[in-house]
C-alpha cells in the first residue's frame, strides 16, 4: 500500500496542504471494502474533494486542486457536495473530503450530514472558521459569539474537532486515523481558523505506523451461532441489509453452506440470487408466510438496523421461537430495537460483516441440511 | 394531450439495461415514488445491478447528488431514476458536464409530486393535494449541446431511448411522460404515515372513492 504522508517533506507546507495530504493518506490506510465491485478507471483510487469555493476555503481548494491524487469537484450547492461524498465513499470504501464554506455555508451541509452518518459513509468536512481575533467583529459570514454557525448541528457528526493551533495537528491526525478505521465509517468535522490555513505546518507523524484491529466476535459466540445455524431439522435464514452489500460476492456461498433461505431489506434487494423477496417499504414475496412454512428457527441479520421502513416494524415477521442473530458494525444499533424481534431471543454481535463472515467460515461445520433448490421467487 | 407511458415499463427498461451492463453502470433512485418502482424491478431480477437508495432518512436530493459523487469517484456511468419534483430540487447537469461525468437521468414526469399527492388523497386533504401539481416541463432542455435528451411518450420508444442514453458519451436525460393513473408500488408507505397522526385514516378517502367511481384509478 502506498502511503504518501511525506511526499512533499522536502519542502515546507502550509497547514492546508498538510491536511489535504492527510486526507489522501487516510483514504489509503482506512479504505473499507468497496460496495462498487464493477469497473473503475484510474480515478477510482484517488480521493475526491467536493466544494463550493469561497474566500474562506481558498487555501484548501488550492491545495486540493494541486494534489495529484485528489479530484477537485466544485459543486453548485453545499449539500450536493456532501451527498456526492457519501456515495463516493460508499462506492469506493475510501474516506472522502468535503470542503465547506464558512458561516452559512456550514449550514448547507447539514441536510446531508445526517444521511452520511446513517448510511455509514466516511466523510471529512473541513470547515473554515473566523480567526479568534476577528470573532465579534460583525463581518460578513462571520461566526459570531452569538451565532457560531459552524457548531450548529454538531451532534449530527460522529466527531467535531476544532483546531486552535498548528501544533495540534499531529494529535488530530492520529484521531482521524482512529475514527476512519471504524468499520461503520465516520463523519467528522474539522474546523480551522482561516489565518492558520496558510501557516507553515511541520510534517505529520507516520500514520501507517498505527495498526488498528477490528473488533471480532469471540470463538464461543461464533460457535453458538454455528450451532443455531445447523440446528437439526430446521432451516436457517439470512436477512441482508445495506451493510451486507459490500460482501455480496461471499453471500451466495454462505447461504449454500448453511442450506439457508434468504431475503433482504429494500437497500439490498436481489443482491443474491434466489431471494424470498424484500421486507419493508415496497415489500414483496410475503416473507412472513414463507418463513413460517419453512419452519425457520434462526435468522441471521447482516448489516441492517431493521428500521420500520426496512421491515423491522412488522411484529409478525418471524415464526414463534425463531432466534435472531443480529450482526452490525455499528454498535449503536440496539439489539432487539425492532418490533420484528420482540418476543424472540436475540444475540447481538457488534462486528464488521466481513470479520463475522471470516470467523464463521473458520468454524464452518458441515451443515446438516444440504443446499436446497432456490425457493420460488417472491412476486410483487 | 400527449400520450403517456406506464412508469413500470420505464423503470423496468432502465434497470434491466443497467443490469446488462452491471460492471459499468450504477443505479440510483430518488426517495420518491421512483424508489418504489426501482425496488420492485430489482426484485424481479435474479441478480441486481449496483443500486443505491437513501434508505434511512430518505433525504431528497441524495440520489441525484450522490450519483454525481459515484461518477466522480469511479469514472463510471450512473442512471438516476427520479421524479420531476426531485429533479428540480438538485439539478446536477452543469456540474456533471463540467467534469465529464456520464450521468443519465430518467425522469418519471407526471407534473406532480406523486407521493404527497397520494398521501394527501389518503388523508382527504384536498387543499393540500392541490399544492402538489407542478408546471409541465421538458427536462431534455438542459441548455447545453453536451447534454443529450429524449422525451418518451410511447412504451415502444423506451428501449431505444435508454440505449441512446447509455451509449452517449456524457450526460443524458430520458424524460418519460408517465401515466398519472398508475399508482406506484408504495406498499405501506402511505398508510404507514397514519401513525404520524395518531389515528388511522379511512382505508380510502372520499376523494379516492370518487376517483375510483370515475375510473381514474
Amino acid at each position: 500500500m502506498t502511503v504518501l504522508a511525506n511526499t512533499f517533506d522536502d519542502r515546507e507546507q502550509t497547514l492546508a496542504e498538510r491536511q489535504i495530504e492527510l486526507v489522501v493518506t487516510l483514504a489509503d490506510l482506512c479504505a473499507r471494502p468497496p460496495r462498487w465491485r464493477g469497473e473503475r478507471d484510474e480515478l477510482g483510487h484517488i480521493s475526491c474533494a467536493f466544494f463550493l469555493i469561497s474566500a474562506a476555503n481558498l487555501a484548501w481548494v488550492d491545495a486540493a486542486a494541486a494534489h495529484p491524487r485528489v479530484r477537485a469537484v466544485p459543486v453548485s450547492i453545499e449539500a450536493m457536495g456532501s451527498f456526492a461524498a457519501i456515495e463516493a465513499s460508499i462506492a469506493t470504501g475510501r474516506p472522502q473530503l468535503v470542503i465547506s464554506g464558512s458561516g452559512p455555508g456550514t449550514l448547507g451541509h447539514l441536510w446531508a450530514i445526517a444521511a452520511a452518518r446513517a448510511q455509514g459513509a466516511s466523510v471529512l468536512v473541513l470547515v473554515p472558521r473566523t480567526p479568534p481575533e476577528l470573532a465579534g467583529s460583525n463581518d460578513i459570514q462571520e461566526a459570531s459569539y452569538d451565532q457560531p454557525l459552524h457548531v450548529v448541528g454538531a451532534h449530527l457528526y460522529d466527531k467535531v474537532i476544532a483546531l486552535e493551533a498548528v501544533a495540534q495537528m499531529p494529535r488530530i491526525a492520529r484521531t482521524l486515523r482512529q475514527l476512519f478505521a471504524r468499520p461503520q465509517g465516520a463523519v467528522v468535522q474539522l474546523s480551522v481558523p482561516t489565518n492558520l490555513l496558510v501557516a507553515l505546518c511541520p510534517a505529520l507523524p507516520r500514520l501507517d505506523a498505527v495498526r488498528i484491529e477490528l473488533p471480532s466476535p469471540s470463538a464461543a459466540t461464533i460457535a453458538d451461532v454455528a450451532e443455531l445455524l445447523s440446528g437439526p431439522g430446521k432451516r436457517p435464514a439470512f436477512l441482508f441489509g445495506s451493510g451486507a452489500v459490500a460482501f455480496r460476492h461471499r453471500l451466495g456461498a454462505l447461504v449454500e453452506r448453511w442450506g439457508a433461505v434468504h431475503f433482504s431489506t429494500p437497500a439490498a434487494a436481489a443482491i443474491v440470487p434466489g431471494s424470498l423477496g424484500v421486507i419493508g417499504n415496497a415489500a414483496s414475496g410475503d416473507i412472513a408466510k414463507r418463513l413460517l412454512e419453512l419452519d425457520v428457527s434462526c435468522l441471521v441479520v447482516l448489516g441492517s438496523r431493521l428500521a420500520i421502513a426496512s421491515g423491522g416494524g412488522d411484529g409478525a415477521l418471524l415464526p414463534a421461537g425463531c432466534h435472531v442473530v443480529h450482526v452490525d458494525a455499528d454498535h449503536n444499533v440496539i439489539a432487539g430495537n425492532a418490533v420484528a424481534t420482540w418476543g424472540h431471543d436475540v444475540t447481538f454481535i457488534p462486528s464488521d460483516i466481513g470479520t463475522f463472515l471470516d470467523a464463521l467460515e473458520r468454524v464452518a461445520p458441515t451443515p446438516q441440511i444440504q443446499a436446497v433448490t432456490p425457493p420460488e421467487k417472491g412476486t410483487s | 394531450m400527449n400520450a403517456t407511458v406506464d412508469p413500470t415499463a420505464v423503470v423496468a427498461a432502465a434497470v434491466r439495461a443497467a443490469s446488462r451492463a452491471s460492471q459499468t453502470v450504477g443505479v440510483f433512485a430518488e426517495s420518491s415514488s421512483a424508489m418504489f418502482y426501482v425496488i420492485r424491478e430489482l426484485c424481479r431480477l435474479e441478480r441486481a445491478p449496483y443500486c443505491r437508495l437513501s434508505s434511512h432518512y430518505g433525504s431528497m436530493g441524495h440520489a441525484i447528488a450522490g450519483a454525481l459523487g459515484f461518477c466522480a469517484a469511479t469514472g463510471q456511468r450512473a442512471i438516476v431514476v427520479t421524479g420531476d419534483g426531485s429533479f428540480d430540487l438538485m439539478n446536477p447537469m452543469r456540474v456533471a458536464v463540467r467534469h465529464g461525468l456520464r450521468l443519465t437521468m430518467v425522469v418519471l414526469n407526471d407534473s406532480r409530486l406523486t407521493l404527497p399527492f397520494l398521501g394527501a388523497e389518503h388523508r382527504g386533504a384536498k387543499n393540500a393535494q392541490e399544492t402538489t401539481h407542478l408546471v409541465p416541463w421538458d427536462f431534455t432542455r438542459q441548455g447545453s449541446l453536451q447534454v443529450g435528451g429524449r422525451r418518451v411518450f410511447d412504451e415502444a420508444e423506451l428501449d431505444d431511448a435508454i440505449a441512446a442514453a447509455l451509449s452517449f458519451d456524457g450526460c443524458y436525460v430520458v424524460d418519460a411522460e408517465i401515466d398519472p393513473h398508475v399508482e406506484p408500488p408504495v406498499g405501506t408507505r402511505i398508510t404507514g404515515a397514519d401513525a404520524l397522526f395518531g389515528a388511522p385514516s379511512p382505508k380510502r378517502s372520499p376523494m379516492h372513492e370518487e376517483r375510483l367511481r370515475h375510473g381514474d384509478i
Side-chain angles (χ1 to χ4, degrees), chain A residues 130-375:
Chain A
T130 306
E133 59 269 32
L134 294 180
S137 62
N138 297 315
D139 199 2
I140 187 170
Q141 294 194 329
E142 179 221 9
S144 70
Y145 296 130
D146 299 328
Q147 294 179 316
L149 300 183
H150 64 282
V151 297
V152 173
H155 63 290
L156 298 175
Y157 292 86
D158 288 299
K159 182 81 85 179
V160 172
I161 302 171
L163 183 146
E164 307 288 355
V166 173
Q168 284 177 268
M169 203 52 222
R171 283 199 179 87
I172 288 175
R174 291 270 179 142
T175 301
L176 295 175
R177 166 77 176 96
Q178 186 176 353
L179 283 166
F180 286 119
R182 299 175 354 150
Q184 71 269 39
V187 184
V188 182
Q189 183 202 92
L190 172 60
S191 71
V192 181
T194 49
N195 57 335
L196 294 186
L197 288 175
V198 292
L200 292 178
C201 176
L204 299 176
R206 280 183 54 228
L207 294 182
D208 58 331
V210 180
R211 182 182 168 88
I212 299 175
E213 289 291 326
L214 296 178
S216 180
S218 70
T221 300
I222 290 297
D224 288 345
V225 173
E227 189 176 336
L228 284 166
L229 284 168
S230 55
K234 305 273 182 128
R235 183 175 293 177
F238 286 92
L239 167 56
F240 302 130
S242 63
V245 174
F247 306 94
R248 64 189 294 177
H249 58 298
R250 300 175 64 178
L251 301 180
L254 175 76
V255 167
E256 189 174 344
R257 172 172 295 171
W258 297 101
V261 293
H262 62 94
F263 54 105
S264 77
T265 65
I271 59 167
V272 181
S275 174
L276 293 178
V278 172
I279 55 174
N281 281 347
S284 68
D286 199 354
I287 305 297
K289 184 179 170 202
R290 295 289 288 137
L291 295 180
L292 193 61
E293 289 170 353
L294 293 164
D295 197 18
V296 167
S297 61
C298 173
L299 172 70
V300 180
V301 181
L302 296 180
S304 171
R305 293 182 180 86
L306 268 184
I308 293 172
S310 302
D314 181 1
L317 176 66
L318 302 176
C322 180
H323 191 119
V324 178
V325 177
H326 194 170
V327 186
D328 201 285
D330 186 352
H331 63 271
N332 290 316
V333 171
I334 299 169
N337 181 40
V339 172
T341 67
W342 291 0
H344 296 268
D345 289 336
V346 178
T347 302
F348 181 68
I349 302 177
S351 169
D352 159 59
I353 303 301
T355 305
F356 171 80
L357 294 178
D358 289 343
L360 191 58
E361 283 170 12
R362 278 196 293 273
V363 175
T366 304
Q368 295 183 13
I369 299 174
Q370 296 303 310
V372 296
T373 304

Side-chain angles (χ1 to χ4, degrees), chain B residues 14-38:
Chain B
V15 170
R16 284 169 196 279
S19 181
R20 286 193 292 273
S22 62
Q23 290 298 296
T24 54
V25 179
V27 177
F28 294 76
E30 263 299 335
S31 296
S32 61
S33 55
M35 180 177 77
F36 295 92
Y37 284 114
V38 168

Side-chain angles (χ1 to χ4, degrees), chain A residues 39 44 71 87 119 248 377, chain B residues 23 43 48 52 62 73 99:
Chain A
E39 294 175 10
R71 183 173 198 180
E87 293 306 323
Q119 297 283 325
R248 64 189 294 177
K377 194 159 176 56
Chain B
Q23 290 298 296
C43 294
R52 289 283 299 154
H62 181 152
H99 298 291

